[in-house]
Amino acid sequence: MAQACRTVLALDALATQNLKEGITFSRSSDGHCFIIYRQQDTFRACRNQCKHQGGLFIADIEDMGGRTVRCTKHNWKLNVATMQYVNPPDSFLQDELEVVRSADGSLELLELDPPDPWAADPRPVQDLQPGEVTLTYITHACMELKAGGKRMMFDPWLTGPAFARGWWLLHEPPEDAVERMCRADLIYISHMHSDHLSYPTLQLLSQKRPDVPVYVGDTSRPVFWYLDRSGVNLTNIKVVPFGIWQNTLDAVTDPPAGVRVFKEFWEFDVYVDKLNASVSSEVFKDESWIRVYYSWAGFQNYNLVIRMIETDDDFQRLDGGYDYLVDFLDLSFPSVRPQREHSYLEIQNRVGVMRNVVLNGLLWDDLYIGFNNRISRDPDIYHHRFWTHFQSELPLSAPDWNTFLRERPAPNPAPTPALLPALLPQQGHSSLFFHFWLKLVRWVEWVRRYFW
Ligand code: FES
């Protein structure tokens, strides 16, 4: 389909002249909302639609410069002077409209129409005969599609947990689900998240049909990046470029009557014990693993400090667990927060999952999506660059812990205590003391800067 340029808002000369400096919210006659930013005779414009989930922007009263708008849904912020989102920082650019001024002083906002020509030009709809195509919901995102005598299965997560031990299947799959997966002509896995690419499930598959064709998209980080270390042996994985997607089905939310709630009889311990085996690894006997791990991770030159705290299952700080700071500006590991202005995250992590992630070089999805950590942030900003790195850009091979164990200094006889306890709180009163102490340090620094 041809792509045309369409006028979405037109202002006559007077209305254009009356546009104030800075931000103007405007509505077209057909009810669509726009944001226009004026700096003298220069204009920029976009739809009033947040890139996150389509929320509406309003003026950001915290921005004294009058360049920022705030989304009313989840507080993302957009600098309209640059069309760059400032919360999350370093993240997205807003799609701009073309601003055209005419000689008579009027102004038009132009948009490509349609923006995605392929979405407006689907193949002609073909009638299906009854029973020609059937789609069966199995569980979670797993479905079976039968068409033209062929049987395909999508995103089979049929056993074991996902995201370390954070997610468990809610509904029991049909009794013959594994069998149906093994008989499939094709399996499609949409992405690498473990509720779609389930290694415990693929383990069952590979034992019976290692050569079943498994299709995945050609993504920047390979979907099967962890296959070699997973113990799963699939011999017929086909990596294909993504095509065109069309959403044609409503979500399935209710299972058929009689389906049992699965998680009530899961054997949690089998999986949790496996993860917790990481806790006693030799690697963690010496605190230098922290430097090795974050150097391997390769994220730095970013003004963010995190405090990582190992906890038990209930997110209570663990006696003898690690508790340390990482300053990503220069990738250092200070014992107290630096005095410069910086963003700060305090992250409590279940020790078994955290150490399993570290040992195997896994993505932090297991922690973050798996509800295996708790995070407080100051200020309340989502650090897009940081999370993108740790959730999808970590190196493909795990840290070389064998070399680390060979070359590290002789370990302490007892597990190394956390880095910070000498300086930071254990619990309760000392925590309060620490915060007061920190505030005092900052206050003294502020007074020093101001008066000297
Ligand atoms: S829709 Fe705008 S922040 Fe979520």
Side-chain angles (χ1 to χ4, degrees):
M1 173 183 230
Q3 195 175 43
C5 206
R6 181 164 73 99
T7 301
V8 289
L9 184 77
L11 299 180
D12 62 23
L14 185 61
T16 306
Q17 193 187 335
N18 287 341
L19 284 173
K20 62 179 192 296
E21 281 284 305
I23 298 169
T24 298
F25 294 90
S26 192
R27 188 184 286 266
S28 63
S29 53
D30 57 358
H32 291 113
C33 299
F34 301 90
I35 305 174
I36 303 172
Y37 180 78
R38 176 175 197 166
Q39 190 175 25
Q40 298 180 346
D41 278 337
T42 308
F43 297 85
R44 300 184 87 154
C46 64
R47 283 192 178 273
N48 187 347
Q49 192 173 40
C50 175
K51 207 153 197 167
H52 180 217
Q53 287 178 4
L56 204 65
F57 289 110
I58 58 172
D60 176 19
I61 53 170
E62 289 175 0
D63 173 29
M64 296 305 169
R67 298 190 186 89
T68 309
V69 291
R70 180 176 69 78
C71 179
T72 47
K73 267 195 167 175
H74 316 102
N75 215 22
W76 280 26
K77 291 188 178 184
L78 169 69
N79 181 335
V80 199
T82 58
M83 291 293 168
Q84 173 85 52
Y85 281 81
V86 290
N87 179 18
D90 304 311
S91 57
F92 307 102
L93 277 175
Q94 181 77 334
D95 298 325
E96 274 190 80
L97 297 167
E98 202 63 37
V99 180
V100 177
R101 298 287 309 275
S102 300
D104 65 0
S106 62
L107 174 150
E108 279 182 289
L109 304 187
L110 306 181
E111 185 176 59
L112 294 177
D113 179 29
D116 302 325
W118 55 87
D121 190 20
R123 291 187 194 152
V125 174
Q126 294 180 0
D127 289 335
L128 291 172
Q129 301 308 311
E132 191 179 336
V133 173
T134 62
L135 187 63
T136 308
Y137 176 72
I138 305 292
T139 189
H140 194 68
C142 179
M143 288 188 239
E144 183 191 58
L145 177 75
K146 285 192 226 157
K150 297 286 181 194
R151 188 192 297 262
M152 305 167 209
M153 198 172 255
F154 302 94
D155 293 328
W157 171 26
L158 304 176
T159 189
F163 301 113
R165 27 74 58 92
W167 291 25
W168 299 80
L169 282 170
L170 181 59
H171 297 117
E172 184 185 27
E175 262 178 26
D176 62 346
V178 172
E179 200 47 48
R180 281 152 84 161
M181 170 178 69
C182 294
R183 277 191 280 119
D185 294 292
L186 177 163
I187 289 178
Y188 174 70
I189 292 178
S190 61
H191 63 291
M192 64 178 145
H193 282 163
S194 48
D195 57 323
H196 297 258
L197 193 175
S198 160
Y199 281 110
T201 306
L202 296 184
Q203 184 73 54
L204 300 176
L205 175 69
S206 71
Q207 283 158 6
K208 292 194 174 178
R209 286 241 359 240
D211 61 341
V212 65
V214 179
Y215 280 78
V216 294
D218 186 11
T219 48
S220 57
R221 185 186 188 93
V223 172
F224 273 110
W225 69 276
Y226 192 65
L227 183 67
D228 290 348
R229 286 181 280 146
S230 70
V232 169
N233 177 31
L234 292 172
T235 57
N236 196 5
I237 292 174
K238 298 177 186 297
V239 180
V240 293
F242 279 111
I244 297 163
W245 288 89
Q246 293 180 44
N247 291 321
T248 56
L249 291 172
D250 290 333
V252 177
T253 52
D254 295 322
V259 169
R260 293 194 296 174
V261 173
F262 204 22
K263 66 175 184 178
E264 285 170 3
F265 49 98
W266 264 113
E267 290 183 1
F268 287 86
D269 292 348
V270 176
Y271 296 98
V272 175
D273 290 352
K274 201 166 154 196
L275 289 164
N276 285 346
S278 308
V279 174
S280 54
S281 164
E282 282 294 305
V283 164
F284 302 106
K285 300 258 163 73
D286 188 287
E287 68 192 27
S288 54
W289 71 266
I290 296 171
R291 182 175 298 278
V292 170
Y293 175 70
Y294 287 94
S295 303
W296 165 86
F299 183 75
Q300 64 176 323
N301 299 323
Y302 191 82
N303 190 16
L304 172 69
V305 176
I306 63 170
R307 179 177 172 191
M308 296 290 275
I309 305 166
E310 290 185 335
T311 71
D312 63 15
D313 271 7
D314 298 321
F315 298 102
Q316 297 303 311
R317 195 171 176 282
L318 208 61
D319 274 349
Y322 281 96
D323 181 344
Y324 56 91
L325 295 169
V326 185
D327 184 345
F328 286 107
L329 193 57
D330 56 359
L331 201 55
S332 59
F333 305 89
S335 51
V336 292
R337 284 174 61 178
Q339 292 187 11
R340 67 166 199 276
E341 284 290 315
H342 60 274
S343 294
Y344 178 65
L345 297 180
E346 197 163 290
I347 311 180
Q348 299 170 311
N349 304 284
R350 286 182 170 144
V351 62
V353 181
M354 182 73 225
R355 292 193 183 187
N356 188 57
V357 162
V358 167
L359 280 183
N360 295 296
L362 300 176
L363 302 173
W364 284 22
D365 292 336
D366 279 355
L367 291 162
Y368 185 60
I369 305 180
F371 307 116
N372 287 307
N373 62 17
R374 289 191 175 167
I375 301 165
S376 80
R377 48 194 194 193
D378 173 23
D380 185 14
I381 284 176
Y382 175 68
H383 289 280
H384 168 80
R385 261 185 63 194
F386 171 76
W387 288 108
T388 300
H389 188 91
F390 281 90
Q391 288 191 268
S392 62
E393 292 174 357
L394 289 175
L396 291 174
S397 20
D400 184 358
W401 295 121
N402 288 334
T403 304
F404 169 77
L405 288 174
R406 271 201 310 277
E407 295 178 356
R408 73 181 166 155
N412 295 329
T416 309
L419 284 186
L420 294 176
L423 292 164
L424 296 184
Q426 299 294 325
Q427 288 280 335
H429 297 311
S430 48
S431 174
L432 274 176
F433 169 77
F434 171 68
H435 285 288
F436 277 116
W437 175 79
L438 203 59
K439 275 193 181 348
L440 185 67
V441 167
R442 285 199 193 134
W443 187 79
V444 169
E445 175 62 12
W446 181 83
V447 170
R448 190 185 64 75
R449 276 197 217 152
Y450 195 78
F451 290 105
W452 280 277

PDB file of all heavy atoms in Angstrom, residues 124-144:
ATOM      1  N   PRO A 124      -6.060 -10.706   1.778  1.00  0.00           N
ATOM      2  CA  PRO A 124      -7.523 -10.829   1.815  1.00  0.00           C
ATOM      3  C   PRO A 124      -7.937 -11.950   2.774  1.00  0.00           C
ATOM      4  O   PRO A 124      -7.277 -12.979   2.849  1.00  0.00           O
ATOM      5  CB  PRO A 124      -7.894 -11.187   0.382  1.00  0.00           C
ATOM      6  CG  PRO A 124      -6.667 -10.960  -0.430  1.00  0.00           C
ATOM      7  CD  PRO A 124      -5.496 -10.904   0.457  1.00  0.00           C
ATOM      8  N   VAL A 125      -9.011 -11.696   3.479  1.00  0.00           N
ATOM      9  CA  VAL A 125      -9.519 -12.692   4.422  1.00  0.00           C
ATOM     10  C   VAL A 125     -10.047 -13.890   3.644  1.00  0.00           C
ATOM     11  O   VAL A 125     -10.735 -13.736   2.639  1.00  0.00           O
ATOM     12  CB  VAL A 125     -10.645 -12.072   5.265  1.00  0.00           C
ATOM     13  CG1 VAL A 125     -11.297 -13.130   6.161  1.00  0.00           C
ATOM     14  CG2 VAL A 125     -10.098 -10.917   6.086  1.00  0.00           C
ATOM     15  N   GLN A 126      -9.688 -15.099   4.094  1.00  0.00           N
ATOM     16  CA  GLN A 126     -10.211 -16.298   3.431  1.00  0.00           C
ATOM     17  C   GLN A 126     -11.122 -17.044   4.391  1.00  0.00           C
ATOM     18  O   GLN A 126     -10.819 -17.126   5.581  1.00  0.00           O
ATOM     19  CB  GLN A 126      -9.051 -17.197   3.021  1.00  0.00           C
ATOM     20  CG  GLN A 126      -8.176 -16.556   1.962  1.00  0.00           C
ATOM     21  CD  GLN A 126      -7.028 -17.463   1.557  1.00  0.00           C
ATOM     22  OE1 GLN A 126      -6.894 -18.562   2.067  1.00  0.00           O
ATOM     23  NE2 GLN A 126      -6.216 -16.980   0.639  1.00  0.00           N
ATOM     24  N   ASP A 127     -12.204 -17.548   3.868  1.00  0.00           N
ATOM     25  CA  ASP A 127     -13.126 -18.302   4.727  1.00  0.00           C
ATOM     26  C   ASP A 127     -12.521 -19.649   5.079  1.00  0.00           C
ATOM     27  O   ASP A 127     -11.920 -20.312   4.233  1.00  0.00           O
ATOM     28  CB  ASP A 127     -14.463 -18.520   4.005  1.00  0.00           C
ATOM     29  CG  ASP A 127     -15.221 -17.207   3.898  1.00  0.00           C
ATOM     30  OD1 ASP A 127     -14.957 -16.329   4.749  1.00  0.00           O
ATOM     31  OD2 ASP A 127     -16.038 -17.061   2.968  1.00  0.00           O
ATOM     32  N   LEU A 128     -12.694 -20.029   6.317  1.00  0.00           N
ATOM     33  CA  LEU A 128     -12.242 -21.345   6.750  1.00  0.00           C
ATOM     34  C   LEU A 128     -13.436 -22.274   6.828  1.00  0.00           C
ATOM     35  O   LEU A 128     -14.542 -21.850   7.175  1.00  0.00           O
ATOM     36  CB  LEU A 128     -11.608 -21.257   8.139  1.00  0.00           C
ATOM     37  CG  LEU A 128     -10.280 -20.515   8.239  1.00  0.00           C
ATOM     38  CD1 LEU A 128      -9.895 -20.366   9.702  1.00  0.00           C
ATOM     39  CD2 LEU A 128      -9.196 -21.267   7.482  1.00  0.00           C
ATOM     40  N   GLN A 129     -13.201 -23.523   6.494  1.00  0.00           N
ATOM     41  CA  GLN A 129     -14.248 -24.535   6.677  1.00  0.00           C
ATOM     42  C   GLN A 129     -14.253 -24.945   8.147  1.00  0.00           C
ATOM     43  O   GLN A 129     -13.208 -24.880   8.807  1.00  0.00           O
ATOM     44  CB  GLN A 129     -13.954 -25.761   5.805  1.00  0.00           C
ATOM     45  CG  GLN A 129     -13.872 -25.457   4.321  1.00  0.00           C
ATOM     46  CD  GLN A 129     -15.090 -24.698   3.829  1.00  0.00           C
ATOM     47  OE1 GLN A 129     -16.225 -25.084   4.104  1.00  0.00           O
ATOM     48  NE2 GLN A 129     -14.874 -23.587   3.129  1.00  0.00           N
ATOM     49  N   PRO A 130     -15.386 -25.324   8.687  1.00  0.00           N
ATOM     50  CA  PRO A 130     -15.427 -25.766  10.091  1.00  0.00           C
ATOM     51  C   PRO A 130     -14.397 -26.868  10.337  1.00  0.00           C
ATOM     52  O   PRO A 130     -14.301 -27.819   9.566  1.00  0.00           O
ATOM     53  CB  PRO A 130     -16.861 -26.307  10.261  1.00  0.00           C
ATOM     54  CG  PRO A 130     -17.649 -25.653   9.172  1.00  0.00           C
ATOM     55  CD  PRO A 130     -16.704 -25.393   8.044  1.00  0.00           C
ATOM     56  N   GLY A 131     -13.602 -26.677  11.374  1.00  0.00           N
ATOM     57  CA  GLY A 131     -12.617 -27.697  11.744  1.00  0.00           C
ATOM     58  C   GLY A 131     -11.333 -27.638  10.950  1.00  0.00           C
ATOM     59  O   GLY A 131     -10.391 -28.388  11.202  1.00  0.00           O
ATOM     60  N   GLU A 132     -11.254 -26.746   9.961  1.00  0.00           N
ATOM     61  CA  GLU A 132     -10.054 -26.687   9.121  1.00  0.00           C
ATOM     62  C   GLU A 132      -8.846 -26.218   9.949  1.00  0.00           C
ATOM     63  O   GLU A 132      -7.729 -26.685   9.773  1.00  0.00           O
ATOM     64  CB  GLU A 132     -10.300 -25.725   7.956  1.00  0.00           C
ATOM     65  CG  GLU A 132      -9.235 -25.791   6.890  1.00  0.00           C
ATOM     66  CD  GLU A 132      -9.549 -24.825   5.738  1.00  0.00           C
ATOM     67  OE1 GLU A 132     -10.732 -24.486   5.562  1.00  0.00           O
ATOM     68  OE2 GLU A 132      -8.604 -24.426   5.049  1.00  0.00           O
ATOM     69  N   VAL A 133      -9.103 -25.283  10.833  1.00  0.00           N
ATOM     70  CA  VAL A 133      -8.052 -24.809  11.737  1.00  0.00           C
ATOM     71  C   VAL A 133      -8.596 -24.877  13.154  1.00  0.00           C
ATOM     72  O   VAL A 133      -9.702 -24.406  13.411  1.00  0.00           O
ATOM     73  CB  VAL A 133      -7.656 -23.353  11.424  1.00  0.00           C
ATOM     74  CG1 VAL A 133      -6.706 -22.816  12.477  1.00  0.00           C
ATOM     75  CG2 VAL A 133      -7.031 -23.250  10.044  1.00  0.00           C
ATOM     76  N   THR A 134      -7.838 -25.482  14.045  1.00  0.00           N
ATOM     77  CA  THR A 134      -8.269 -25.454  15.452  1.00  0.00           C
ATOM     78  C   THR A 134      -7.117 -24.959  16.308  1.00  0.00           C
ATOM     79  O   THR A 134      -5.944 -25.244  16.044  1.00  0.00           O
ATOM     80  CB  THR A 134      -8.714 -26.844  15.973  1.00  0.00           C
ATOM     81  OG1 THR A 134      -7.592 -27.717  15.889  1.00  0.00           O
ATOM     82  CG2 THR A 134      -9.865 -27.393  15.191  1.00  0.00           C
ATOM     83  N   LEU A 135      -7.490 -24.202  17.305  1.00  0.00           N
ATOM     84  CA  LEU A 135      -6.499 -23.645  18.218  1.00  0.00           C
ATOM     85  C   LEU A 135      -6.891 -24.078  19.621  1.00  0.00           C
ATOM     86  O   LEU A 135      -8.002 -23.800  20.070  1.00  0.00           O
ATOM     87  CB  LEU A 135      -6.509 -22.116  18.113  1.00  0.00           C
ATOM     88  CG  LEU A 135      -5.423 -21.365  18.865  1.00  0.00           C
ATOM     89  CD1 LEU A 135      -4.046 -21.720  18.342  1.00  0.00           C
ATOM     90  CD2 LEU A 135      -5.662 -19.860  18.723  1.00  0.00           C
ATOM     91  N   THR A 136      -5.981 -24.774  20.291  1.00  0.00           N
ATOM     92  CA  THR A 136      -6.301 -25.289  21.624  1.00  0.00           C
ATOM     93  C   THR A 136      -5.388 -24.632  22.649  1.00  0.00           C
ATOM     94  O   THR A 136      -4.159 -24.665  22.506  1.00  0.00           O
ATOM     95  CB  THR A 136      -6.081 -26.818  21.672  1.00  0.00           C
ATOM     96  OG1 THR A 136      -6.779 -27.408  20.583  1.00  0.00           O
ATOM     97  CG2 THR A 136      -6.582 -27.397  22.985  1.00  0.00           C
ATOM     98  N   TYR A 137      -6.011 -24.068  23.645  1.00  0.00           N
ATOM     99  CA  TYR A 137      -5.231 -23.463  24.728  1.00  0.00           C
ATOM    100  C   TYR A 137      -4.735 -24.577  25.644  1.00  0.00           C
ATOM    101  O   TYR A 137      -5.516 -25.399  26.102  1.00  0.00           O
ATOM    102  CB  TYR A 137      -6.116 -22.478  25.494  1.00  0.00           C
ATOM    103  CG  TYR A 137      -5.438 -21.869  26.691  1.00  0.00           C
ATOM    104  CD1 TYR A 137      -4.436 -20.930  26.532  1.00  0.00           C
ATOM    105  CD2 TYR A 137      -5.791 -22.252  27.979  1.00  0.00           C
ATOM    106  CE1 TYR A 137      -3.799 -20.377  27.623  1.00  0.00           C
ATOM    107  CE2 TYR A 137      -5.162 -21.708  29.075  1.00  0.00           C
ATOM    108  CZ  TYR A 137      -4.164 -20.768  28.897  1.00  0.00           C
ATOM    109  OH  TYR A 137      -3.531 -20.237  29.980  1.00  0.00           O
ATOM    110  N   ILE A 138      -3.420 -24.601  25.894  1.00  0.00           N
ATOM    111  CA  ILE A 138      -2.867 -25.670  26.743  1.00  0.00           C
ATOM    112  C   ILE A 138      -2.690 -25.148  28.177  1.00  0.00           C
ATOM    113  O   ILE A 138      -3.348 -25.598  29.087  1.00  0.00           O
ATOM    114  CB  ILE A 138      -1.520 -26.193  26.178  1.00  0.00           C
ATOM    115  CG1 ILE A 138      -1.691 -26.643  24.715  1.00  0.00           C
ATOM    116  CG2 ILE A 138      -0.980 -27.326  27.045  1.00  0.00           C
ATOM    117  CD1 ILE A 138      -2.544 -27.870  24.506  1.00  0.00           C
ATOM    118  N   THR A 139      -1.801 -24.201  28.342  1.00  0.00           N
ATOM    119  CA  THR A 139      -1.664 -23.512  29.635  1.00  0.00           C
ATOM    120  C   THR A 139      -0.721 -22.328  29.435  1.00  0.00           C
ATOM    121  O   THR A 139       0.103 -22.330  28.521  1.00  0.00           O
ATOM    122  CB  THR A 139      -1.129 -24.449  30.738  1.00  0.00           C
ATOM    123  OG1 THR A 139      -1.215 -23.796  32.004  1.00  0.00           O
ATOM    124  CG2 THR A 139       0.320 -24.846  30.505  1.00  0.00           C
ATOM    125  N   HIS A 140      -0.815 -21.329  30.292  1.00  0.00           N
ATOM    126  CA  HIS A 140      -0.019 -20.101  30.197  1.00  0.00           C
ATOM    127  C   HIS A 140      -0.030 -19.608  28.745  1.00  0.00           C
ATOM    128  O   HIS A 140      -1.097 -19.364  28.214  1.00  0.00           O
ATOM    129  CB  HIS A 140       1.388 -20.338  30.742  1.00  0.00           C
ATOM    130  CG  HIS A 140       2.137 -19.067  30.980  1.00  0.00           C
ATOM    131  ND1 HIS A 140       1.789 -18.180  31.958  1.00  0.00           N
ATOM    132  CD2 HIS A 140       3.189 -18.501  30.337  1.00  0.00           C
ATOM    133  CE1 HIS A 140       2.593 -17.140  31.913  1.00  0.00           C
ATOM    134  NE2 HIS A 140       3.448 -17.308  30.929  1.00  0.00           N
ATOM    135  N   ALA A 141       1.161 -19.477  28.093  1.00  0.00           N
ATOM    136  CA  ALA A 141       1.152 -18.977  26.708  1.00  0.00           C
ATOM    137  C   ALA A 141       1.164 -20.115  25.702  1.00  0.00           C
ATOM    138  O   ALA A 141       1.302 -19.876  24.502  1.00  0.00           O
ATOM    139  CB  ALA A 141       2.359 -18.072  26.487  1.00  0.00           C
ATOM    140  N   CYS A 142       1.080 -21.328  26.173  1.00  0.00           N
ATOM    141  CA  CYS A 142       1.220 -22.488  25.278  1.00  0.00           C
ATOM    142  C   CYS A 142      -0.103 -22.809  24.578  1.00  0.00           C
ATOM    143  O   CYS A 142      -1.128 -22.950  25.234  1.00  0.00           O
ATOM    144  CB  CYS A 142       1.687 -23.694  26.086  1.00  0.00           C
ATOM    145  SG  CYS A 142       1.857 -25.166  25.075  1.00  0.00           S
ATOM    146  N   MET A 143      -0.032 -22.902  23.262  1.00  0.00           N
ATOM    147  CA  MET A 143      -1.207 -23.271  22.476  1.00  0.00           C
ATOM    148  C   MET A 143      -0.820 -24.279  21.404  1.00  0.00           C
ATOM    149  O   MET A 143       0.342 -24.323  20.983  1.00  0.00           O
ATOM    150  CB  MET A 143      -1.802 -22.031  21.802  1.00  0.00           C
ATOM    151  CG  MET A 143      -2.479 -21.122  22.780  1.00  0.00           C
ATOM    152  SD  MET A 143      -3.352 -19.842  21.941  1.00  0.00           S
ATOM    153  CE  MET A 143      -2.549 -18.433  22.607  1.00  0.00           C
ATOM    154  N   GLU A 144      -1.809 -25.020  20.990  1.00  0.00           N
ATOM    155  CA  GLU A 144      -1.589 -25.969  19.901  1.00  0.00           C
ATOM    156  C   GLU A 144      -2.471 -25.562  18.732  1.00  0.00           C
ATOM    157  O   GLU A 144      -3.672 -25.356  18.904  1.00  0.00           O
ATOM    158  CB  GLU A 144      -1.952 -27.375  20.358  1.00  0.00           C
ATOM    159  CG  GLU A 144      -1.674 -28.427  19.303  1.00  0.00           C
ATOM    160  CD  GLU A 144      -2.295 -29.760  19.697  1.00  0.00           C
ATOM    161  OE1 GLU A 144      -3.534 -29.794  19.900  1.00  0.00           O
ATOM    162  OE2 GLU A 144      -1.568 -30.744  19.806  1.00  0.00           O
TER     163      GLU A 144
END
